[in-house]
């Protein structure tokens, strides 16, 4: 495994999947995208108030959300030494939000977490979903990657789920 996940959480926040599974999902994204460099991802579990504050500060959207991603280095950055790990960035998950979202979408909190980890990792690798064509590409990648990892089987095609319109907020 060439990904290291550093888990941080707010008191009371619980990840709906194991830390090992979270790392495995992150690795699946790197594998799918052909990233072979060792990478470090910071995974922070946040409550709804905390993620709302981050969303307001960094995106200008004063509302809670499911996931935020903050890019740092790119795996192909020429300034990194050959054996130096890439600090991909930070993924912030709002676990209570994900649990509520799972109920609304008819999925499980674990499947929502897997989807948002894939989504967040793709953002860290530079993908976005602001433009329709980019959203479609990102959704297709999410579907492909999710098909390669074990899930609870509750997720339908990603375009029917979370982020189709979110990039236009």
């Amino acid at each position: 495994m060439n990904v290291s996940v550093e888990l941080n959480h707010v008191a009371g926040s619980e990840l709906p999947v194991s830390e090992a599974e979270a790392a495995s999902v992150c690795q699946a994204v790197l594998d799918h995208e052909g990233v072979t460099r060792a990478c470090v991802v910071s995974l922070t579990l946040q409550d709804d108030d905390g993620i709302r504050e981050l969303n307001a500060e960094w995106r200008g959207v004063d509302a809670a959300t499911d996931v935020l991603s903050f890019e740092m280095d790119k795996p192909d950055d020429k300034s990194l030494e050959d054996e130096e790990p890439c600090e991909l960035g930070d993924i912030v998950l709002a676990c209570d939000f994900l649990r509520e979202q799972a109920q609304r979408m008819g999925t499980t909190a674990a499947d929502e977490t897997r989807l948002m980890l894939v989504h967040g990792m793709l953002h860290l690798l530079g993908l976005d979903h602001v433009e329709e064509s980019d959203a479609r590409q990102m959704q297709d990648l999410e579907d492909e990657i999710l098909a390669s990892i074990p899930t609870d089987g509750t997720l339908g095609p990603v375009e029917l789920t979370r982020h189709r319109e979110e990039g236009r907020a």
Side-chain angles (χ1 to χ4, degrees):
M1 190 173 286
N2 64 327
V3 70
S4 170
V5 175
E6 298 173 355
L7 183 63
N8 312 293
H9 58 86
V10 171
S13 296
E14 242 183 86
L15 189 62
V17 298
S18 71
E19 191 172 344
E21 183 175 1
S24 180
V25 171
C26 293
Q27 183 65 52
V29 175
L30 295 178
D31 290 346
H32 187 275
E33 295 303 294
V35 175
T36 57
R37 175 183 291 281
C39 294
V40 178
V41 174
S42 172
L43 176 58
T44 301
L45 309 182
Q46 190 58 266
D47 61 18
D48 286 353
D49 289 336
I51 206 161
R52 182 194 57 75
E53 290 173 16
L54 289 169
N55 206 18
E57 178 180 351
W58 292 98
R59 296 183 62 234
V61 178
D62 191 13
T65 189
D66 44 18
V67 64
L68 292 172
S69 300
F70 301 96
E71 290 179 48
M72 290 177 67
D73 296 329
K74 296 284 184 214
D76 59 356
D77 185 341
K78 302 292 185 225
S79 69
L80 294 173
E81 296 294 325
D82 287 342
E83 300 303 314
E84 182 180 0
C86 170
E87 298 278 343
L88 269 182
D90 304 316
I91 297 174
V92 182
L93 295 176
C95 295
D96 290 340
F97 192 100
L98 288 174
R99 284 181 181 84
E100 292 171 16
Q101 185 165 274
Q103 288 179 340
R104 284 193 317 275
M105 299 307 233
T107 66
T108 65
D111 268 354
E112 287 297 312
T113 300
R114 293 177 190 104
L115 170 58
M116 291 305 121
L117 284 169
V118 169
H119 188 85
M121 286 291 292
L122 290 173
H123 277 307
L124 295 184
L125 293 173
L127 280 87
D128 210 334
H129 47 81
V130 176
E131 300 297 325
E132 180 69 25
S133 61
D134 295 335
R136 189 112 357 243
Q137 176 189 15
M138 195 163 175
Q139 291 162 356
D140 289 346
L141 284 172
E142 289 167 344
D143 281 336
E144 288 174 28
I145 294 165
L146 288 165
S148 74
I149 61 175
T151 69
D152 294 347
T154 62
L155 289 173
V158 171
E159 77 175 305
L160 300 178
T161 59
R162 315 326 136 243
H163 290 280
R164 184 142 174 81
E165 299 298 324
E166 200 268 347
R168 292 158 182 73

